[in-house]
Amino acid sequence: MLPCPHILAETSALAEELVFEHYGLSSRLLRSLQYEARFLREGWPFPEEALAVLVRGQRPRGPEPYCIFFPYGRPLPCSRAFLPALMLYIFTHELVHMVRFVRYEVPYHLRMEKREEEEIRVHAKAREILSPLAHWPGLAETLERFDRIYLRKRS
């Protein structure tokens, strides 16, 4: 994957608008949702198949920041034409996780079997949130790709 600043900016802003509007978050919760996206150039310490990983940072006071890590230079699972749809899905998915954490719907640290259930739940919510954008180029195919991944985990 390659860092494309304009695609990151556009898709993260759209994902924020969709997710925050969907949940109707209070200003207090919005302030606690701080995150940044980073590309790791060397040493991907996460599962090889992961296209992105959400990590929560620690601060002595104030909201805990999140970081969405992307592997730099890994081949895309789709053509470059699908990159905006892929990034929109990833940002939406990770923002749903963050919202669920700050609303105490689910703890950040989960056992592996609960983590898979949570991924399936978050995918379904991200799909629901993105449904009004069915016309976005590549989004239907991107959602189908992740449906296959998460339906496989369910069986």
Side-chain angles (χ1 to χ4, degrees):
M1 295 179 73
L2 300 172
C4 302
H6 69 284
I7 292 175
L8 293 175
E10 291 171 2
T11 57
S12 64
L14 180 55
E16 286 176 16
E17 183 178 331
L18 292 167
V19 171
F20 298 165
E21 185 176 299
H22 176 83
Y23 282 102
L25 298 175
S26 68
S27 57
R28 180 187 66 78
L29 286 179
L30 283 172
R31 282 192 303 274
S32 65
L33 285 171
Q34 298 176 11
Y35 74 97
E36 61 184 73
R38 291 188 183 174
F39 282 82
L40 292 180
R41 290 183 183 270
E42 297 184 26
W44 181 249
F46 307 110
E48 187 60 33
E49 69 278 2
L51 297 175
V53 176
L54 179 66
V55 176
R56 185 175 69 185
Q58 293 181 343
R59 269 193 198 143
R61 280 186 269 153
E64 295 173 324
Y66 292 91
C67 191
I68 302 171
F69 288 107
F70 295 95
Y72 181 84
R74 180 181 300 162
L76 290 171
C78 55
S79 73
R80 287 186 68 109
F82 287 86
L83 186 57
L86 177 65
M87 296 308 292
L88 178 62
Y89 173 80
I90 289 172
F91 278 117
T92 302
H93 183 101
E94 300 305 347
L95 283 165
V96 169
H97 275 303
M98 287 183 248
V99 167
R100 290 177 55 75
F101 298 149
V102 301
R103 290 177 57 176
Y104 302 103
E105 292 178 13
V106 65
Y108 177 75
H109 297 285
L110 287 172
R111 292 189 320 259
M112 187 55 78
E113 63 274 6
K114 294 289 185 187
R115 191 173 304 151
E116 287 184 13
E117 291 172 20
E118 177 64 5
E119 288 297 327
I120 293 167
R121 204 173 287 116
V122 167
H123 168 68
K125 182 56 76 173
R127 183 177 235 304
E128 175 188 336
I129 290 169
L130 291 169
S131 65
L133 296 180
H135 64 280
W136 245 59
L139 188 57
E141 294 85 353
T142 300
L143 291 172
E144 287 171 14
R145 178 184 192 283
F146 285 98
D147 284 346
R148 286 190 302 273
I149 291 168
Y150 291 111
L151 289 175
R152 183 183 54 197
K153 285 185 177 188
R154 186 176 282 171
S155 15

